[in-house]
Amino acid sequence: MTTTRTPRITARRRSVLAAATATAVVVLAACGGGQTPEDVAGGGGEPSEAPEFTGEYTGPAVQLNYWNGFTGGDGPFMQELVDQFNAEHENITVVPNTMDWADFYQRLPAAVTQGEGPHVGVMHLDQLATMAARNAIVPLDDLAEALELTADDFTPEIWDAGIYEDQRYGIPLDVHSLAMYYNTEHFEEAGITEPPTDEASFMEALDALQAAGFETPFWMPQLWPSHLMWLSLAWQNGEQVYAEDGSAAMYDSPGGVEALEWQRSIIEQGYSPNDVAIDSQYIAFKNGENSITWDGIWQINDLEAEEVPYGIAPVPQIGDEAAVWANSHHFFMSRQATEDENLAAASQVFIAWMSEQSATWAGSGLIPARLSVRESGVLDDMPQRVIAEQIDTMRFLPPVPGVGTVQAEALEPAIADAVLGNTPPSEALGTAAEQGTNLMEQNLESFGG
């Protein structure tokens, strides 16, 4: 099933590096040396506890610092929600601080330690374990229980990934994954009536597009989101990319090598130019220079604002099983908030209120994390509906502290080298697996895993 949208003007949605930096920028002290494991973990010791949630805040007027990375078209949606919250709560004023995700994750631990960070915020699911291990955020089990949030209302991976060392640190807001965008006018000229769903139909579509005069219909990037494409393909080949206990990177499995060989073959067979710079494939798609691109669903509003003739469908199943990379935004409370009972209580009220607004948040182009919201009909007229229908195939990075740094320092350069044709895929992934495993072992030692 697919959705073709008649473009509508919306706020420009552009978060090119959101997910990439979400998994890539927290450089752990274990990699830099000179600090003890306690330093790395933000002082060590047991995490602070959030107070019991009462459902309302009746204390004196407080101001909450709220950090987020919604710098694109999703930003206005979030600002509207914050404005609504402030209007409904006379004794709580939420002050947003919106920044690039890269800056967010670099600044958060030190800012909280210095008392200059947020009281509440939103971060990506694959950062929760790292920030919990660094004692920058606090458990929210009582809040989740008070909100009557249960595993039954979420897919298991979204729900479970919010847990680190048997405690919940995140309240899920949304899910966002890679998707396949295609130019509907190009498809019509090539006589393609349905979006491809597997390797055979995908390659047939590329051939038909070339025959229709679209010389390079599917550009293969060397960088973003190439490593997310590789993760999707490796999972489709049935591989486990990381050891569940955080002890090893297993990039060089047969299915992982096959996935990277497939990516390189797109260039070798002439469907893509070589040396596609970061984001060039997406810009080319908007300009009608290529016909298909795989990118995140956060691009939906941008494509509609630019009036691009596009359709959206799930990433084709190139391997033996359906799987696609995904991530999720989770609300958190910082350790800084727990140092004042009024700030902590107000923070919980804000998180609880925002969690209830996930249907409105769907207007940002993302998918509500709650099953009950998805089934309410809120997505019926939205383009991401066809992607939400595949939510059971979405795969997430494991809740392992420091996995983002491993991705950035080991995996992403290897993918780029192989896609460019500088290094054979098996060699590139072998080197990356060794480097990644060394980094993960250092992280385990630093965080006491």
Side-chain angles (χ1 to χ4, degrees), residues 249-287:
M250 301 178 292
Y251 306 142
D252 56 344
S253 62
V257 172
E258 182 181 345
L260 193 49
E261 289 174 342
W262 185 87
Q263 288 181 262
R264 176 59 192 170
S265 74
I266 294 297
I267 297 171
E268 292 175 340
Q269 296 180 68
Y271 299 117
S272 169
N274 201 18
D275 197 11
V276 176
I278 187 169
D279 211 34
S280 295
Q281 78 290 340
Y282 179 69
I283 295 172
F285 182 76
K286 292 207 299 182
N287 293 335

Short mmCIF file of all heavy atoms in Angstrom, two decimals, residues 249-287:
data_model
loop_
_atom_site.label_atom_id
_atom_site.label_comp_id
_atom_site.label_asym_id
_atom_site.label_seq_id
_atom_site.Cartn_x
_atom_site.Cartn_y
_atom_site.Cartn_z
N ALA A 249 30.93 -5.33 18.29
CA ALA A 249 30.32 -4.87 17.04
C ALA A 249 30.52 -5.97 16.01
O ALA A 249 31.64 -6.40 15.77
CB ALA A 249 30.97 -3.57 16.58
N MET A 250 29.44 -6.41 15.41
CA MET A 250 29.49 -7.57 14.52
C MET A 250 29.15 -7.17 13.09
O MET A 250 28.33 -7.77 12.42
CB MET A 250 28.55 -8.65 15.04
CG MET A 250 28.92 -9.09 16.46
SD MET A 250 27.81 -10.32 17.19
CE MET A 250 26.32 -9.36 17.42
N TYR A 251 29.84 -6.12 12.63
CA TYR A 251 29.56 -5.57 11.31
C TYR A 251 29.91 -6.52 10.18
O TYR A 251 29.28 -6.51 9.13
CB TYR A 251 30.34 -4.27 11.10
CG TYR A 251 30.16 -3.21 12.14
CD1 TYR A 251 31.23 -2.42 12.55
CD2 TYR A 251 28.91 -2.96 12.73
CE1 TYR A 251 31.08 -1.42 13.50
CE2 TYR A 251 28.75 -1.98 13.68
CZ TYR A 251 29.84 -1.20 14.07
OH TYR A 251 29.69 -0.21 15.00
N ASP A 252 30.98 -7.32 10.37
CA ASP A 252 31.53 -8.10 9.26
C ASP A 252 30.91 -9.49 9.12
O ASP A 252 31.55 -10.42 8.61
CB ASP A 252 33.04 -8.23 9.39
CG ASP A 252 33.47 -8.82 10.73
OD1 ASP A 252 32.64 -8.86 11.66
OD2 ASP A 252 34.64 -9.22 10.85
N SER A 253 29.67 -9.63 9.54
CA SER A 253 28.95 -10.88 9.33
C SER A 253 28.68 -11.05 7.83
O SER A 253 28.73 -10.07 7.06
CB SER A 253 27.62 -10.84 10.09
OG SER A 253 26.81 -9.78 9.58
N PRO A 254 28.40 -12.27 7.38
CA PRO A 254 28.12 -12.47 5.94
C PRO A 254 27.01 -11.57 5.43
O PRO A 254 27.11 -11.00 4.34
CB PRO A 254 27.74 -13.95 5.87
CG PRO A 254 28.49 -14.58 7.01
CD PRO A 254 28.45 -13.56 8.11
N GLY A 255 25.93 -11.45 6.20
CA GLY A 255 24.82 -10.61 5.77
C GLY A 255 25.17 -9.14 5.77
O GLY A 255 24.64 -8.36 4.95
N GLY A 256 26.05 -8.73 6.69
CA GLY A 256 26.48 -7.34 6.71
C GLY A 256 27.33 -7.01 5.50
O GLY A 256 27.17 -5.94 4.88
N VAL A 257 28.24 -7.92 5.14
CA VAL A 257 29.08 -7.72 3.96
C VAL A 257 28.21 -7.69 2.70
O VAL A 257 28.38 -6.85 1.82
CB VAL A 257 30.15 -8.82 3.87
CG1 VAL A 257 30.90 -8.72 2.55
CG2 VAL A 257 31.12 -8.72 5.05
N GLU A 258 27.25 -8.61 2.63
CA GLU A 258 26.35 -8.65 1.48
C GLU A 258 25.57 -7.35 1.33
O GLU A 258 25.36 -6.85 0.22
CB GLU A 258 25.40 -9.83 1.61
CG GLU A 258 24.44 -9.99 0.44
CD GLU A 258 23.49 -11.16 0.63
OE1 GLU A 258 23.74 -12.01 1.52
OE2 GLU A 258 22.49 -11.22 -0.11
N ALA A 259 25.15 -6.78 2.46
CA ALA A 259 24.40 -5.52 2.43
C ALA A 259 25.24 -4.40 1.85
O ALA A 259 24.77 -3.62 1.00
CB ALA A 259 23.94 -5.16 3.84
N LEU A 260 26.50 -4.31 2.26
CA LEU A 260 27.37 -3.25 1.77
C LEU A 260 27.76 -3.48 0.31
O LEU A 260 27.90 -2.52 -0.46
CB LEU A 260 28.61 -3.14 2.66
CG LEU A 260 29.48 -1.89 2.50
CD1 LEU A 260 28.65 -0.61 2.53
CD2 LEU A 260 30.54 -1.85 3.60
N GLU A 261 27.92 -4.73 -0.07
CA GLU A 261 28.18 -5.04 -1.48
C GLU A 261 27.01 -4.59 -2.35
O GLU A 261 27.22 -4.09 -3.47
CB GLU A 261 28.44 -6.53 -1.65
CG GLU A 261 29.77 -6.99 -1.07
CD GLU A 261 29.96 -8.50 -1.12
OE1 GLU A 261 28.94 -9.22 -1.28
OE2 GLU A 261 31.10 -8.96 -0.98
N TRP A 262 25.79 -4.76 -1.85
CA TRP A 262 24.62 -4.34 -2.61
C TRP A 262 24.62 -2.82 -2.78
O TRP A 262 24.34 -2.31 -3.88
CB TRP A 262 23.34 -4.78 -1.90
CG TRP A 262 22.09 -4.49 -2.69
CD1 TRP A 262 21.51 -5.27 -3.64
CD2 TRP A 262 21.28 -3.31 -2.60
NE1 TRP A 262 20.38 -4.67 -4.15
CE2 TRP A 262 20.22 -3.46 -3.53
CE3 TRP A 262 21.35 -2.15 -1.82
CZ2 TRP A 262 19.23 -2.49 -3.70
CZ3 TRP A 262 20.37 -1.17 -2.00
CH2 TRP A 262 19.33 -1.34 -2.93
N GLN A 263 24.97 -2.10 -1.72
CA GLN A 263 25.02 -0.64 -1.83
C GLN A 263 26.05 -0.20 -2.87
O GLN A 263 25.78 0.68 -3.68
CB GLN A 263 25.35 -0.02 -0.47
CG GLN A 263 24.20 -0.11 0.54
CD GLN A 263 24.55 0.54 1.86
OE1 GLN A 263 24.94 -0.14 2.82
NE2 GLN A 263 24.44 1.85 1.93
N ARG A 264 27.22 -0.80 -2.84
CA ARG A 264 28.25 -0.44 -3.81
C ARG A 264 27.81 -0.83 -5.23
O ARG A 264 28.11 -0.11 -6.20
CB ARG A 264 29.57 -1.13 -3.45
CG ARG A 264 30.70 -0.92 -4.46
CD ARG A 264 31.05 0.55 -4.64
NE ARG A 264 31.93 0.74 -5.79
CZ ARG A 264 32.25 1.92 -6.31
NH1 ARG A 264 31.76 3.03 -5.78
NH2 ARG A 264 33.05 2.01 -7.36
N SER A 265 27.07 -1.92 -5.36
CA SER A 265 26.66 -2.37 -6.69
C SER A 265 25.72 -1.39 -7.37
O SER A 265 25.66 -1.35 -8.61
CB SER A 265 25.98 -3.75 -6.58
OG SER A 265 24.66 -3.65 -6.04
N ILE A 266 24.99 -0.62 -6.60
CA ILE A 266 24.10 0.38 -7.19
C ILE A 266 24.91 1.39 -8.01
O ILE A 266 24.49 1.82 -9.09
CB ILE A 266 23.30 1.11 -6.08
CG1 ILE A 266 22.33 0.12 -5.40
CG2 ILE A 266 22.55 2.31 -6.64
CD1 ILE A 266 21.26 -0.44 -6.32
N ILE A 267 26.10 1.71 -7.50
CA ILE A 267 26.99 2.62 -8.23
C ILE A 267 27.64 1.90 -9.41
O ILE A 267 27.69 2.42 -10.53
CB ILE A 267 28.05 3.20 -7.28
CG1 ILE A 267 27.39 4.02 -6.18
CG2 ILE A 267 29.07 4.04 -8.05
CD1 ILE A 267 28.32 4.45 -5.06
N GLU A 268 28.13 0.69 -9.15
CA GLU A 268 28.85 -0.05 -10.19
C GLU A 268 27.94 -0.38 -11.38
O GLU A 268 28.42 -0.46 -12.52
CB GLU A 268 29.43 -1.33 -9.60
CG GLU A 268 30.54 -1.07 -8.59
CD GLU A 268 31.04 -2.34 -7.92
OE1 GLU A 268 30.28 -3.35 -7.95
OE2 GLU A 268 32.15 -2.33 -7.37
N GLN A 269 26.66 -0.55 -11.14
CA GLN A 269 25.72 -0.85 -12.22
C GLN A 269 25.18 0.40 -12.91
O GLN A 269 24.37 0.30 -13.83
CB GLN A 269 24.56 -1.69 -11.68
CG GLN A 269 24.97 -3.05 -11.17
CD GLN A 269 23.78 -3.84 -10.63
OE1 GLN A 269 22.89 -4.24 -11.38
NE2 GLN A 269 23.76 -4.05 -9.32
N GLY A 270 25.64 1.56 -12.45
CA GLY A 270 25.29 2.80 -13.14
C GLY A 270 23.99 3.44 -12.73
O GLY A 270 23.54 4.39 -13.39
N TYR A 271 23.38 2.97 -11.64
CA TYR A 271 22.13 3.58 -11.21
C TYR A 271 22.37 4.86 -10.40
O TYR A 271 21.46 5.65 -10.19
CB TYR A 271 21.32 2.61 -10.35
CG TYR A 271 20.92 1.35 -11.07
CD1 TYR A 271 21.38 0.10 -10.65
CD2 TYR A 271 20.08 1.40 -12.18
CE1 TYR A 271 21.02 -1.07 -11.31
CE2 TYR A 271 19.72 0.24 -12.85
CZ TYR A 271 20.19 -0.99 -12.41
OH TYR A 271 19.84 -2.13 -13.08
N SER A 272 23.61 5.03 -9.94
CA SER A 272 23.96 6.18 -9.11
C SER A 272 25.32 6.70 -9.52
O SER A 272 26.21 5.92 -9.89
CB SER A 272 24.01 5.77 -7.62
OG SER A 272 24.59 6.78 -6.82
N PRO A 273 25.53 8.01 -9.44
CA PRO A 273 26.88 8.52 -9.61
C PRO A 273 27.74 8.12 -8.42
O PRO A 273 27.22 7.76 -7.36
CB PRO A 273 26.69 10.04 -9.67
CG PRO A 273 25.40 10.29 -8.98
CD PRO A 273 24.55 9.07 -9.21
N ASN A 274 29.04 8.16 -8.57
CA ASN A 274 29.95 7.89 -7.47
C ASN A 274 30.15 9.18 -6.68
O ASN A 274 29.85 10.27 -7.15
CB ASN A 274 31.30 7.38 -7.99
CG ASN A 274 32.08 6.63 -6.92
OD1 ASN A 274 31.52 6.19 -5.92
ND2 ASN A 274 33.36 6.45 -7.14
N ASP A 275 30.64 9.05 -5.45
CA ASP A 275 30.99 10.20 -4.62
C ASP A 275 29.81 11.14 -4.42
O ASP A 275 29.90 12.35 -4.66
CB ASP A 275 32.19 10.94 -5.24
CG ASP A 275 32.87 11.87 -4.25
OD1 ASP A 275 32.55 11.79 -3.04
OD2 ASP A 275 33.71 12.68 -4.68
N VAL A 276 28.69 10.60 -3.97
CA VAL A 276 27.51 11.41 -3.65
C VAL A 276 27.71 12.00 -2.26
O VAL A 276 27.72 11.27 -1.27
CB VAL A 276 26.23 10.57 -3.71
CG1 VAL A 276 25.02 11.42 -3.28
CG2 VAL A 276 26.01 10.02 -5.12
N ALA A 277 27.87 13.31 -2.19
CA ALA A 277 28.13 13.97 -0.91
C ALA A 277 26.91 13.93 -0.01
O ALA A 277 25.78 13.66 -0.46
CB ALA A 277 28.55 15.42 -1.16
N ILE A 278 27.13 14.20 1.26
CA ILE A 278 26.06 14.12 2.24
C ILE A 278 24.88 15.02 1.84
O ILE A 278 25.05 16.17 1.47
CB ILE A 278 26.58 14.51 3.64
CG1 ILE A 278 25.51 14.27 4.71
CG2 ILE A 278 27.10 15.94 3.67
CD1 ILE A 278 26.04 14.37 6.13
N ASP A 279 23.71 14.43 1.85
CA ASP A 279 22.44 15.09 1.55
C ASP A 279 22.25 15.43 0.08
O ASP A 279 21.19 15.93 -0.30
CB ASP A 279 22.26 16.35 2.40
CG ASP A 279 20.80 16.62 2.71
OD1 ASP A 279 20.04 15.66 2.87
OD2 ASP A 279 20.41 17.80 2.77
N SER A 280 23.26 15.18 -0.76
CA SER A 280 23.12 15.50 -2.18
C SER A 280 21.99 14.70 -2.82
O SER A 280 21.30 15.18 -3.73
CB SER A 280 24.43 15.23 -2.93
OG SER A 280 25.44 16.09 -2.48
N GLN A 281 21.82 13.44 -2.38
CA GLN A 281 20.78 12.61 -2.98
C GLN A 281 19.40 13.16 -2.68
O GLN A 281 18.49 13.06 -3.51
CB GLN A 281 20.92 11.16 -2.48
CG GLN A 281 20.39 10.87 -1.10
CD GLN A 281 21.22 11.50 0.02
OE1 GLN A 281 22.38 11.84 -0.18
NE2 GLN A 281 20.64 11.66 1.20
N TYR A 282 19.23 13.78 -1.51
CA TYR A 282 17.93 14.33 -1.16
C TYR A 282 17.66 15.62 -1.93
O TYR A 282 16.56 15.84 -2.44
CB TYR A 282 17.86 14.58 0.35
CG TYR A 282 16.55 15.18 0.78
CD1 TYR A 282 15.37 14.43 0.75
CD2 TYR A 282 16.47 16.51 1.21
CE1 TYR A 282 14.16 14.99 1.13
CE2 TYR A 282 15.27 17.06 1.60
CZ TYR A 282 14.11 16.30 1.56
OH TYR A 282 12.92 16.87 1.93
N ILE A 283 18.67 16.47 -2.03
CA ILE A 283 18.52 17.70 -2.80
C ILE A 283 18.22 17.37 -4.26
O ILE A 283 17.38 18.01 -4.91
CB ILE A 283 19.78 18.56 -2.67
CG1 ILE A 283 19.95 19.03 -1.22
CG2 ILE A 283 19.72 19.77 -3.61
CD1 ILE A 283 21.27 19.72 -0.95
N ALA A 284 18.92 16.35 -4.78
CA ALA A 284 18.67 15.93 -6.16
C ALA A 284 17.24 15.45 -6.33
O ALA A 284 16.61 15.71 -7.37
CB ALA A 284 19.66 14.83 -6.55
N PHE A 285 16.72 14.75 -5.33
CA PHE A 285 15.34 14.28 -5.43
C PHE A 285 14.37 15.45 -5.47
O PHE A 285 13.43 15.47 -6.26
CB PHE A 285 15.02 13.36 -4.24
CG PHE A 285 13.63 12.79 -4.28
CD1 PHE A 285 13.32 11.75 -5.14
CD2 PHE A 285 12.64 13.30 -3.47
CE1 PHE A 285 12.03 11.22 -5.19
CE2 PHE A 285 11.34 12.79 -3.51
CZ PHE A 285 11.05 11.74 -4.37
N LYS A 286 14.61 16.44 -4.64
CA LYS A 286 13.72 17.60 -4.63
C LYS A 286 13.78 18.35 -5.96
O LYS A 286 12.79 18.95 -6.39
CB LYS A 286 14.09 18.55 -3.49
CG LYS A 286 13.80 17.99 -2.11
CD LYS A 286 13.56 19.08 -1.09
CE LYS A 286 14.73 19.99 -0.90
NZ LYS A 286 14.45 21.01 0.15
N ASN A 287 14.95 18.30 -6.61
CA ASN A 287 15.12 19.00 -7.88
C ASN A 287 14.75 18.16 -9.09
O ASN A 287 14.89 18.60 -10.23
CB ASN A 287 16.58 19.46 -8.02
CG ASN A 287 16.94 20.53 -7.01
OD1 ASN A 287 16.08 21.26 -6.53
ND2 ASN A 287 18.22 20.63 -6.69
#
